[in-house]
Amino acid sequence: HSRLGGWGAVIVASGAWAVVHLQYDWYGMLTIFVGGLVLGYSRLKTGSILPAIVMHAVMNLIATIQVEVQERFFPV
């Protein structure tokens, strides 16, 4: 329950979370911001936190697989 409303809270939280990740370039930060919007949308649409948790876990799994493929098949 925010004075900004549901979407305002989602946008502010997504933006803050993206800015915290300064170790990434602008594309990585934009990806985090958009991911936060998607997770927030799922929370607002369903009224439950569980879909957002599951989606976040899948996003982390995909990122882990991407890193492993990069390291294994395309080492720097």
Side-chain angles (χ1 to χ4, degrees), residues 9 14 18 23 29 33 37 41 48 52 54 58-59 61-62 71 73:
S14 297
Q23 72 268 31
M29 290 172 63
F33 178 72
L37 294 179
Y41 174 76
S48 173
V54 170
V58 170
M59 289 165 49
L61 176 63
I62 291 168
E71 291 295 319
F73 299 109

Side-chain angles (χ1 to χ4, degrees), residues 46-59:
T46 65
S48 173
I49 196 73
L50 288 176
I53 291 171
V54 170
M55 289 169 35
H56 191 278
V58 170
M59 289 165 49

Side-chain angles (χ1 to χ4, degrees), residues 4-50:
L4 299 174
W7 272 110
V10 167
I11 291 169
V12 169
S14 297
W17 195 243
V19 170
V20 167
H21 288 83
L22 292 174
Q23 72 268 31
Y24 300 121
D25 61 1
W26 68 269
Y27 180 78
M29 290 172 63
L30 180 63
T31 302
I32 291 169
F33 178 72
V34 171
L37 294 179
V38 171
L39 295 173
Y41 174 76
S42 74
R43 170 68 174 97
L44 292 174
K45 188 71 172 172
T46 65
S48 173
I49 196 73
L50 288 176

